[in-house]
Amino acid sequence: MTGLRANNLPSAHECLAQRFKTWSSGEFDLTLCPVRGILDRLGDKWTTLIVIVLAQRPHRFSEIGRAIPDISKRMLTQTLRDLERDGMITRRVFPTKPPSVEYGLTELGESLLEPLAHLVTWAENSQPKIATARSAFDAAETSPS
Amino acid sequence: MTGLRANNLPSAHECLAQRFKTWSSGEFDLTLCPVRGILDRLGDKWTTLIVIVLAQRPHRFSEIGRAIPDISKRMLTQTLRDLERDGMITRRVFPTKPPSVEYGLTELGESLLEPLAHLVTWAENSQPKIATARSAFDAAETSPS
DNA sequence: CCGGATCCTAGTCGATACTG
DNA sequence: CAGTATCGACTAGGATCCGG
């Protein structure tokens, strides 16, 4: 009864519902769910942007900074280290003078691109609707009656 | 040369690369990119969880709270209002006594489920790899030489 | 039962200055 | 060039009290 339809595109509904039931059944604690940690990472201000930049080709430290104008060196360093720690990017140091460092995606990092592209596409397509809903909501707020 | 293969699944690489080139070409400012705002929303601590909960069926206020044990009323209220403002969820008030409110996904909200399910699936599948990479990285840090 | 208002803490991020 | 260190502003988020 819980079988997903194999040939057809199963509704995202079912997919997520199944997953959620698994999570919330038994004593699986949502609080400790590792997926949450990962999603939090993706949600932070810079990770996704850096991944997208590196998706094109490996970049050097300052190159990334130029591609993302409003990131500070501090955040760039920190986010890169987090991504490296999670095995999403590689860090190659060339002992040239002055030294140069090149960052690139690992296989794991590249495997993120596909779901990420889906999400970005959705965001682009939905952006007008969201903007509309938002202004409608705000208008209703400011003129209640 | 830049044509995407139409019949085959185009690599996420190309998809994102195209998108990024569009973004960074001309004077399109990444800072103002509306997609960033949307991704930030998804990344905050509670929105995704609430959307997943509501994906199963409409819920009442306290029901959501019980499904997500470690959320405070404050954050629940705030996140729900943000989602409502963005047109992702509906809010129906029943003038019963005591009053009850039911939240449910709109079409727009449901359209998010699919890309979200992709991402969650990816996160679950990649979680072991990430854990491995993380412990390897930490081990290398604590014993440098 | 639903949620608004207020207070307060803890983490996050940016700017700046400094090292190798 | 590629970071590290320190400080300070900002803000997300939890606790609590209150009203409908």
Side-chain angles (χ1 to χ4, degrees), chain A residues 15-26:
Chain A
C15 178
L16 275 179
Q18 284 301 321
R19 232 165 266 285
F20 184 84
K21 276 168 191 154
T22 307
W23 293 343
S24 50
S25 70

Side-chain angles (χ1 to χ4, degrees), chain A residues 126-139, chain B residues 85-87 108:
Chain A
S126 308
Q127 191 270 332
K129 297 180 190 172
I130 293 179
T132 303
R134 206 172 280 190
S135 47
F137 186 88
D138 292 346
Chain B
R85 191 174 104 100
D86 287 351
L108 181 58

Side-chain angles (χ1 to χ4, degrees), chain B residues 60-62 73 77 81 91 101 103:
Chain B
R60 294 180 45 192
F61 184 86
S62 301
K73 276 190 302 181
T77 305
R81 286 194 79 81
R91 178 175 184 273
V101 185
Y103 296 91

